[in-house]
Amino acid sequence: MPLVAIVGRPNVGKSTIFNRLTESRAAITHDESGVTRDRVYGNAIWNGVDFDVVDTGGYVEASTDRFEQAVKEQVEIAVDEADLVLFVVDVRAGVTDLDDRVAALLRSSSKPVVVMANKADNEKLRWDASEFYSFGLGEVFPVSATNGTGTGELLDDITRQLPTEGASVAKSSGPRIAVIGRPNVGKSSLVNALLGVDRTIVTEVSGTTRDSIDTVMKYHGREITLVDTAGLRRKARVRENIEFYSVLRTERAIRECDVAILLIDATDGLEAQDIRVLKEAERLRKGLLIGMNKWDLVDKETNTARDVERAIHDRLQTLDYVPVVFISALTKQRTHKLVDRALEIVDERSKRVPTSKLNDTMLAAVERSYPPTHRNRFVRIKYVSQVSVGPPVFAFFCNYPDGIRESYRRYLENQIRDSFGFEGVPLSIVFRKK
Ligand code: GDP
Ligand code: GDP
C-alpha cells in the first residue's frame, strides 16, 4: 500500500488533517517499541484508492534548540520512506522561514509533494493561499482541516499522484522472502552477504524509491526476491524516528512476502517485540523462519545451539513450529542454509496433502483421542479436507463445529504436523458442519 507522509512545522494542523483523512478507518492501535502509533499511523481510502498515512510531526518536541533539526530530520526521513509527501502550512501565519527551508528540502527530492494551505476556513483565506506558490512546489491546495473544505480536491490530487497498485513490488514470479528484525540485528549484512555485494551503496546510486530495496536474485537457478526492511538509512538523531519506520517497514514487508525470516542478534536473544512480529506474520499466514545471527560472537561452550533452540521454542509456545538456523552474516556461516530453509518453507506452504491420506491419518488420530463432549453430546468428526494451499487451510467436517475446543484444535494441528511436516508454516484449521 502506498504511504503518504504528512510534514510541516508544529501547529499547522498536521494531526487534524491526519485525523480527517483516516477518520472511521481503523487506525493501528497497538503500541510497539514505545511508539504510540494510533496517533500517527492510519489508513485512508479515497475514490477506491487505499493508502497509509503517517503523521511524522508527532516526534517533534517543541524545545526550541532542537526544533529545527527535528523538523528537518522528519522531512528527510519522510522523503526517503514515503511515496508522497503532504506538506502542510498555515495560511493564517503565511510563509515562515522554517516553511521555506522545508520547501527547499522537498524541492531537491524526487518524491511527489502536495502543498496543503491549511486553516483556509473562509473565502478570503482561500485566496491568501496563493502566497505559497512561492515554494515552487506546484499547485497549492487551500484546505480547512477543521471544517473539511477543500479536502476533496486535495485527496483527488494525492490519489492521482500515488503509484498504482503493484508498482512498488518488484516484478518477479518467484517467492518473496522478507528479512525482518529489530535495528542492528544484521539485516543489511545478511542481504549483502547473500548478494555478494554491498547493496547499500548500490541503492544510494539508484535513487531513493522504496521499490529499490526489493532485490531479485538467482539462487540455484531459482529466482527469489529479497524484501529488505533495512532499507535506506539516515543517521536519524531522533531514536523514535528510526524505530517507528522500522516497525512500519516490517509490517509492510510481512504483508508482501511469502516467508519472513526474523533475524535475531544472538547476543541479545529473543525480545518481546520479536514475538509480536512473529505473531503478526502468523496472523497473516506467512511462512516463518528465525535466523539467529551473530552466532560467531557466542561462546558455544556455554550456549549450545540445541539448548538455545529449545529455550526459544519454550518461549514461543504455540509458535514452536518455527525453525531456527544459527548463522553469521559476518563470516557467512550457514547463510545459504538459511535461504535453503526459507525455500523449503515456501514449498511446504504450497503443499497439498492428498485427501485420502489426510483422512486415513487424521481420522485415526481422532479415534485415538476423541474430541471432548459438547453439552453432553458427542462431537464427531467425519471427514477432513485441505481446502486451500499457500496458505494451507484444513476443514474438519463435524456435527457440532462450535463444540470443538481450542485444546483439541491444537491436538489436530500437532497431528497434522507430525504426519505431514509443514515446518515453519502457520496452519489454519476450521470446523464446518457437514
Ligand atoms: P500539528 O501540530 O501540526 O499536528 O497541528 P494540530 O493538528 O495539532 O493543530 C494545531 C491547532 O490548529 C489546533 O488548535 C487545531 O484545532 C487548529 N487547526 C487545525 N486545522 C485547522 C483549520 O483548518 N482551521 C482552523 N481555524 N484551525 C485549525
Ligand atoms: P541492520 O540494522 O539489521 O541492517 O544491521 P546491520 O547489517 O547494519 O548490522 C549491524 C551491526 O552488526 C554492524 O556493525 C554489522 O557489522 C554487525 N553484524 C551483522 N551481522 C553480524 C554477524 O553475524 N556477526 C557479527 N559479529 N557482527 C555482525
Side-chain angles (χ1 to χ4, degrees), residues 6-19 55 57-58 88 90 92 116-121 125 143-149:
I6 306 176
V7 305
R9 53 187 184 80
N11 272 316
V12 292
K14 292 184 299 303
S15 64
T16 310
I17 189 66
F18 171 85
N19 288 336
D55 173 8
V88 183
D90 179 348
R92 290 166 189 261
M116 166 176 153
N118 193 34
K119 309 196 186 178
D121 302 339
L125 289 165
V143 170
S144 170
T146 44
N147 73 28
T149 315

Side-chain angles (χ1 to χ4, degrees), residues 181-190 230 233 263 293-297 327-331:
R182 285 176 284 120
N184 283 315
V185 294
K187 297 181 294 297
S188 297
S189 306
L190 173 65
R233 225 119 33 119
L263 274 201
N293 192 32
K294 309 197 189 180
W295 194 239
D296 56 294
L297 297 177
I327 66 161
S328 167
L330 194 73
T331 67

Side-chain angles (χ1 to χ4, degrees), residues 334-397:
R334 280 187 293 272
T335 48
H336 282 91
K337 167 128 191 263
L338 185 73
V339 179
D340 291 338
R341 291 305 292 273
L343 288 173
E344 277 165 34
I345 293 171
V346 168
D347 295 338
E348 284 288 281
R349 190 165 170 266
S350 51
K351 182 167 82 178
R352 185 182 291 282
V353 181
T355 306
S356 60
K357 218 165 140 192
L358 185 65
N359 276 276
D360 288 351
T361 313
M362 293 314 292
L363 295 182
V366 171
E367 295 270 321
R368 281 198 300 280
S369 170
Y370 286 107
T373 54
H374 171 62
R375 299 203 177 113
N376 293 323
R377 283 185 292 203
F378 290 111
V379 179
R380 294 190 202 288
I381 292 171
K382 290 169 185 142
Y383 180 73
V384 193
S385 160
Q386 183 176 356
V387 294
S388 154
V389 296
V393 179
F394 295 90
F396 285 73
F397 294 91

